[in-house]
Amino acid sequence: MEMLILLLPLLPLFSAALNHVSYKQAGHKAAKTSVAFGVINFILAVALLAMVMGGDKTSQVALFDSWGILIADPLSVLMALLISGISLIVRIYSIKYMIEEAGYGRFFMLLDLMTATLLLMVTAGDLISLLVAWHLVGVLLYFLLGFDSRSHTAYRYAFWTLITYRVGDIALVLAAGLLFHAYGTWSLSEIFAAVTENPGAHQYFGFVLEELVGFLLAIAAFARSAQFFLHTWLPYTMDGPTPVSALMHAGIVNAGGFLINRFSPIFIQTESTLHLLFIVGLVTAIIGSVLMLTQNDIKKALGYSTMGQMGFMIMECGLGAFSLAIYHLIAHGLFKGTLFLGAGTVINKARKHDGVPQDDLYTFVVERQSAQQRQPWLMMVGITLAVPIIILFLAHWLVAQNFFQNQGAIVLLFFGWITGAQLLFTTYRMHTQNIWRLIGIIILSFTVIVLGYAFISHAFDLFLYPDAAFREQIYAAAGIDIFWFNVLVLLTTAIIVASWVLIYYSEQNHMSEQKKITQWWIRFYALISREFYIIDFYSWLTRTIFKAATRLNVLLRWR
Amino acid sequence: MSGISILIVGLFLPLFPLSMIFNELFSRFTSAKLRIALLIVWPQVGIILAYLFEVNIPDWVITWALFTALLYAFRGLTLREIGLWTSFIATSSWAILWVVLDSDTTFSQLMFYTLGLSLPLCLLVLLCGELEKQFGAAYTGLYNGLAESLPRFSGVLVFVILAVVATPLFPGFTVMLTAIFSTSASSIITGVTISIVWLFWTWAGARLLQDLIVGTPKENGKVDLSLNTTWAYTAALGLLIVGGIYSIGGLS
C-alpha cells in the first residue's frame, strides 16, 4: 500500500518530466504519454480506495525525515480517486480539443504537473507538504489559465486567481506556523492526536489555538473555494482553455471543502469558526445563485453557479455536515465538469440551429407562459408545504433515527424543503394535459433523489468518519444554544409557510402581474448587474496602490 | 549589538535609508559580472558581520527591517526597469534575513539561505543582459510577446522569476517559512507583515512576466537562447530546487 501511495503523485510527475523532454519533437506523444499515465493513476486510485474500503488501516510513507509524508486514509483516497478520474477525462478531452493550439505538449505537461500537485495536496500527511502543494496549485493554475500567451485578458484574470490564492496561502502558512510552535511537529496525525488528547492547551494572542487556527484555515478555504469577497476570480477565468475550466470547477475549487475535512479534529474544538463558515457559505450561496441568474454568457453563468455551489459546500461544513460537503463536492465536480466539457458543443449547435423545443416546458420556463386553468390554491399550498417535508423526514429517519437531534441536519432539511416546495409550485402553473400525473412523477423523482442523497451521504459519513462519537462532536461544534435554535427554527418555518401562502394567493388573484416595476427594483437590478461593485472596488484599490507605489518611487528618486 | 554595529550590518542587510547605498551602487554597475558579484557578496558580508558583532537584535531593528522589506516590495510593484526591479527585490529579501538572524538558525544555514536568495537574482541579471543585447534595454512594456518570439528565453525567465518570488521548492520558500514560523507565534503582526511582503513579490513578479512574455511580438528575427545555454540555466535552476528541498528538511 505504501508503494501505491508513493506512486500516486510520482507518476504524473514522471509523465510531466517525460513530456518536457520530448514535447518539442512530438506533440501527440505528449498527449498519449499523459493519458497512459493518467489511466495507470486512476487504476492506482481505485485500488487504494478498494483497499481502504476493504478494511486496510490508514497507512503512511515518508519521503524525508520530517516532511514529505503521504497518507492513505478514507479522505485522501476518495479525493485521489476524484482527482485522478477528472484529470483523466480532461486529458482525454484535450487530445482533440487542444490539437490546433501552439504548445500542445506544454499543455499536457502542465496538466500532469497540476495532477501531481493536487494528488500531493490530498495525500499530504504533514504541514510542509501541504503548504508546498497548496501554494503550487495556485502557480500552476496561473500558467494553465494563461496558456494562450497572446491573450492579455487570459493573463489578467489568471493573475486575479493567483493573487487571491496567495491570500489563502498566507493564512495557511500562519496556521501551520502556530501549530508547529505549539506541538513541535509537522506531522498532521501527531498534531491531531495532541489536539484531541488535550484540547485548548495552548493560547496565542488571547485566543485558544484551535480557534485561531480554525479561523486562519477558514480564510484559506474561502480563498480557494471562491467565497464572497474572495470570489471575483472564479467567474472571470473563462478565457482559459475549456479543459482547464473543467478541471478548475470540477476539482481545484473544491479544495476548501477538503481542507476543512482534513483539519476536522481542529474544527471540532472551535466554538465560533463553524458559525463563520455557515454565514459566509450561506451569503456566498445566495449571491452566487443570484448572479448566476442574471448572466447571459453561458460560461460566466456556470462560473457563478460554481460559486453558489461552493457557498453551499462551505455552509454544509458550517453546519457540521463535513462528509456531506465531500459528497457534494464530488457530485458537483462530476456534473460541472460535464457541463464545461459540453458547453462548446452546445454553443456550436446553437449557432447552427437554435434548438428551441416547441413544448410546454419551454413555453413555461423560458417564455413564462403559465396555464390559465389552475387547481385550488389552498390545496396546492398544502401539497407544496407538506409533501416535501414528509419525504425528507421519512428518508432521513430510514437512514438514521437519531438524525434529527443534530441542529445542522434540521437546517439542511430546510433547504431540501424549500427546493421541493419550489419544484411543486413551479409545476402547479405549467401547461399540461394531466396535472396530477405530472405532480405524481415529480414527487416520485423527488423521493428517489432524496432517498439517494440520504443513503449516499450516510454512507460517506460512515466511511469518512467511522467513529460515531467524532461525528457527534462535529455536529455539536456547529450547534448553537438550543433555545435560540428553536426560536430560529420556528421563526423561519413561520416565514416560509407565510411566504408560500402569500405567493399562491397572489398568483391565484393575478396580483404579481399587476405589480409595477419600481425604482427600487431597477436599482437592485443595477446592483446585481454591476456584481455588487466588488470588482470596481478591487480595480480602484489596485489603481490606488500603483499610484502610491509610483509616487513613493519618485519621492525616493528610484533608490 | 551596539547602534554602530547595527548601522554597519544594516548597510549590508539593507535597512532603509541605508539600503539606498546598495541600490545606487547596483545601478552604477552596468556589467553583469559586477552585479552578480555584488548580489552574492553584499549580503554575505552582512551575515558575517552580524555574527562577528555577536547578534542580539532588539525588537525595533526587526520592525525597521520589516518596514524596509515592505517598502521595497511595495515599490517593486510598479517598476519597469528589470535591473532596478532586481535590486529592489534583493533589498526587500535581504531585509527579511534580519528576522531569520533573530531565530535559531545556524550560521552555515544562514549563509546557505542568503545564497539561496541571491542566486536566482544573479540568473535574472544574466537574463537582463540578454534582453539588453537583443532589444537595447531591459524594460517591460517596450516589447512583449516574448513567449512567442523567444520561447526558450521566456521559459527560463518564468522559472527564474518563480525562484526569485520564493515559490515552493526554491530556497527562498524555506527562508520565508523560517521567517514566518519563527515570528508568528510571538507576534502575529510580524508574521502577517512578512506574508504581505511575500504577496507583493508574487504580484510584482507576475506583472513583470505579463509585461514581457504575454501578447503578440512586435519584432521578429530575434535570436533565442541556444540549447546549451538553456540547459545551463535549467541545470542552475535544478540545483536551486535541490538546494530548496534540502533546506526544507532543516526547518525547525
Side-chain angles (χ1 to χ4, degrees):
Chain A
M1 195 171 187
E2 280 84 2
M3 182 54 86
L4 294 187
I5 314 164
L6 198 63
L7 281 174
L8 216 51
L10 284 183
L11 277 178
L13 199 66
F14 183 64
S15 169
L18 213 63
N19 279 337
H20 178 67
V21 177
S22 68
Y23 81 80
K24 282 280 175 195
Q25 285 77 30
H28 278 61
K29 259 192 178 172
K32 280 184 184 166
T33 312
S34 181
V35 171
F37 275 93
V39 171
I40 301 171
N41 239 73
F42 183 69
I43 294 168
L44 276 182
V46 172
L48 272 168
L49 182 69
M51 283 175 172
V52 174
M53 285 179 86
D56 279 18
K57 280 184 182 171
T58 298
S59 58
Q60 62 179 45
V61 57
L63 288 171
F64 306 102
D65 279 350
S66 56
W67 71 289
I69 301 169
L70 304 177
I71 51 168
D73 64 352
L75 180 64
S76 66
V77 293
L78 194 60
M79 294 303 292
L81 182 66
L82 176 74
I83 291 162
S84 308
I86 290 176
S87 165
L88 177 62
I89 294 167
V90 165
R91 279 185 266 187
I92 292 171
Y93 179 88
S94 306
I95 295 175
K96 280 190 178 171
Y97 188 87
M98 300 297 290
I99 193 85
E100 288 175 9
E101 299 288 329
Y104 185 67
R106 179 166 53 93
F107 181 76
F108 281 94
M109 189 189 77
L110 282 169
L111 274 185
D112 286 342
L113 281 176
M114 178 58 97
T115 309
T117 312
L118 287 170
L119 287 170
L120 175 65
M121 183 182 85
V122 295
T123 54
D126 65 282
L127 289 166
I128 298 288
S129 305
L130 182 66
L131 285 174
V132 167
W134 193 261
H135 189 142
L136 280 179
V137 167
V139 175
L140 287 166
L141 188 57
Y142 172 72
F143 290 107
L144 272 170
L145 287 170
F147 180 71
D148 179 6
S149 65
R150 284 177 170 245
S151 170
H152 284 284
T153 327
Y155 264 90
R156 181 168 182 244
Y157 296 129
F159 171 72
W160 285 17
T161 309
L162 178 70
I163 209 74
T164 312
Y165 274 27
R166 291 292 291 120
V167 172
D169 296 345
I170 287 171
L172 191 61
V173 169
L174 291 171
L178 290 173
L179 285 173
F180 180 73
H181 189 267
Y183 299 106
T185 173
W186 300 117
S187 163
L188 287 175
S189 53
E190 286 174 24
I191 290 171
F192 295 155
V195 169
T196 310
E197 198 179 314
N198 197 5
H202 299 272
Q203 285 222 340
Y204 290 95
F205 320 112
F207 295 96
V208 175
L209 172 76
E210 288 86 340
E211 203 72 53
L212 195 57
V213 167
F215 174 75
L216 290 167
L217 291 171
I219 302 287
F222 293 164
R224 196 55 55 111
S225 291
Q227 297 302 289
F228 188 58
F229 270 116
L230 292 170
H231 68 277
T232 46
W233 59 275
L234 186 62
Y236 279 85
T237 42
M238 298 304 167
D239 278 336
T242 298
V244 178
S245 299
L247 184 65
M248 188 170 83
H249 287 255
I252 300 166
V253 78
N254 297 319
F258 160 75
L259 189 75
I260 293 166
N261 272 273
R262 173 54 77 218
F263 284 89
S264 54
I266 303 272
F267 280 102
I268 60 167
Q269 306 297 345
T270 62
E271 278 184 9
S272 54
T273 313
L274 291 182
H275 303 151
L276 174 76
L277 290 178
F278 173 71
I279 292 164
V280 173
L282 181 64
V283 169
T284 307
I286 292 169
I287 288 180
S289 306
V290 167
L291 289 171
M292 175 195 71
L293 291 170
T294 53
Q295 302 305 312
N296 51 17
D297 174 333
I298 182 171
K299 283 181 90 179
K300 210 166 157 196
L302 286 176
Y304 275 119
S305 150
T306 302
M307 179 187 162
Q309 293 287 339
M310 289 301 105
F312 203 80
M313 180 189 75
I314 295 289
M315 193 193 75
E316 284 166 338
C317 292
L319 290 170
F322 279 29
S323 53
L324 187 64
I326 293 291
Y327 173 44
H328 189 153
L329 73 84
I330 292 174
H332 172 258
L334 293 176
F335 89 72
K336 195 52 68 67
T338 313
L339 283 176
F340 266 102
L341 296 179
T345 318
V346 172
I347 293 166
N348 263 340
K349 274 188 182 166
R351 280 180 186 147
K352 290 172 193 156
H353 173 63
D354 64 6
V356 174
Q358 295 304 323
D359 58 18
D360 291 340
L361 190 65
Y362 181 82
T363 50
F364 175 64
V365 175
V366 181
E367 294 176 359
R368 294 171 182 246
Q369 291 176 18
S370 50
Q372 292 302 313
Q373 288 271 321
R374 289 174 176 156
Q375 304 308 312
W377 72 274
L378 261 174
M379 183 177 71
M380 288 312 296
V381 173
I383 293 174
T384 300
L385 292 174
V387 171
I389 202 77
I390 291 169
I391 294 170
L392 282 161
F393 265 96
L394 283 178
H396 288 89
W397 180 79
L398 267 176
V399 171
Q401 276 78 4
N402 61 351
F403 185 74
F404 307 104
Q405 288 166 9
N406 301 319
Q407 293 181 2
I410 303 290
V411 178
L412 283 168
L413 287 184
F414 264 98
F415 283 89
W417 183 26
I418 294 168
T419 311
Q422 179 63 37
L423 191 69
L424 284 165
F425 171 69
T426 309
T427 321
Y428 150 79
R429 299 179 302 156
M430 197 174 141
H431 282 285
T432 178
Q433 284 182 336
N434 186 347
I435 183 75
W436 295 112
R437 185 169 167 269
L438 188 67
I439 287 179
I441 290 168
I442 283 172
I443 290 175
L444 185 69
S445 317
F446 184 73
T447 311
V448 170
I449 291 169
V450 169
L451 274 173
Y453 202 77
F455 276 101
I456 295 173
S457 63
H458 186 62
F460 267 71
D461 224 10
L462 296 178
F463 178 60
L464 292 172
Y465 299 104
D467 180 1
F470 190 87
R471 289 201 299 270
E472 287 306 314
Q473 266 185 297
I474 304 178
Y475 276 112
I480 58 170
D481 182 81
I482 191 71
F483 171 76
W484 288 110
F485 180 75
N486 287 337
V487 168
L488 279 172
V489 167
L490 288 173
L491 197 67
T492 315
T493 311
I495 291 171
I496 292 172
V497 171
S499 305
W500 281 113
V501 171
L502 191 71
I503 289 169
Y504 267 105
Y505 182 76
S506 64
E507 280 288 323
Q508 182 70 18
N509 297 293
H510 305 284
M511 282 160 67
S512 59
E513 290 157 30
Q514 293 159 15
K515 249 194 287 176
K516 285 183 183 167
I517 296 172
T518 62
Q519 201 64 27
W520 283 106
W521 180 249
I522 292 171
R523 278 182 195 160
F524 178 63
Y525 185 77
L527 191 68
I528 295 169
S529 66
R530 293 297 300 174
E531 295 159 74
F532 297 99
Y533 292 94
I534 293 168
I535 292 162
D536 298 79
F537 168 72
Y538 285 144
S539 302
W540 169 83
L541 190 66
T542 308
R543 281 195 304 275
T544 311
I545 286 174
F546 287 163
K547 266 186 200 167
T550 308
R551 275 186 196 163
L552 262 177
N553 279 332
V554 173
L555 190 74
L556 298 172
R557 296 173 180 269
W558 308 93
R559 292 291 175 264
Chain B
M1 192 186 248
S2 70
I4 297 291
S5 20
I6 285 171
L7 287 180
I8 295 170
V9 179
L11 186 68
F12 294 96
L13 296 181
L15 293 173
F16 179 79
L18 299 169
S19 51
M20 293 171 108
I21 297 168
F22 165 75
N23 286 298
E24 181 65 35
L25 260 177
F26 190 86
S27 66
R28 283 187 183 234
F29 290 177
T30 47
S31 148
K33 282 176 191 166
L34 280 176
R35 282 186 167 188
I36 288 171
L38 194 66
L39 284 170
I40 292 175
V41 174
W42 195 268
Q44 296 287 353
V45 172
I47 298 292
I48 293 166
L49 286 177
Y51 270 87
L52 282 178
F53 295 143
E54 291 183 350
V55 203
N56 183 14
I57 305 163
D59 285 348
W60 59 268
V61 175
I62 297 292
T63 310
W64 188 5
L66 286 178
F67 168 73
T68 308
L70 192 61
L71 179 74
Y72 279 89
F74 181 71
R75 290 171 63 193
L77 289 178
T78 50
L79 291 180
R80 302 180 78 176
E81 208 266 294
I82 301 169
L84 203 55
W85 191 91
T86 310
S87 74
F88 274 32
I89 297 294
T91 311
S92 178
S93 56
W94 296 340
I96 293 285
L97 286 172
W98 280 95
V99 181
V100 185
L101 205 61
D102 199 30
S103 68
D104 298 330
T105 316
T106 62
F107 177 70
S108 56
Q109 263 180 324
L110 208 54
M111 298 283 276
F112 183 75
Y113 286 172
T114 311
L115 199 63
L117 288 176
S118 296
L119 285 178
L121 293 163
C122 295
L123 294 178
L124 190 58
V125 167
L126 291 174
L127 291 175
C128 184
E130 199 65 39
L131 277 179
E132 281 169 357
K133 204 163 72 185
Q134 295 277 341
F135 298 94
Y139 214 82
T140 66
L142 280 182
Y143 36 81
N144 52 17
L146 296 188
E148 205 151 296
S149 57
L150 304 173
R152 279 183 196 151
F153 176 88
S154 304
V156 172
L157 180 70
V158 164
F159 279 100
V160 169
I161 295 288
L162 287 178
V164 170
V165 301
T167 305
L169 300 186
F170 287 108
F173 180 71
T174 313
V175 179
M176 294 312 276
L177 287 191
T178 308
I180 294 171
F181 290 165
S182 62
T183 54
S184 56
S186 53
S187 162
I188 194 92
I189 294 171
T190 309
V192 171
T193 310
I194 300 168
S195 304
I196 293 172
V197 170
W198 200 0
L199 187 78
F200 282 151
W201 291 356
T202 311
W203 192 347
R207 269 175 68 84
L208 189 86
L209 275 181
Q210 279 173 225
D211 287 345
L212 285 171
I213 67 168
V214 183
T216 312
K218 288 176 188 165
E219 299 173 64
N220 287 320
K222 298 293 175 190
V223 184
D224 202 357
L225 294 180
S226 70
L227 199 60
N228 285 341
T229 316
T230 311
W231 276 115
Y233 275 112
T234 310
L237 287 162
L239 278 176
L240 278 173
I241 290 176
V242 171
I245 291 173
Y246 170 74
S247 63
I248 288 179
L251 274 176
S252 57

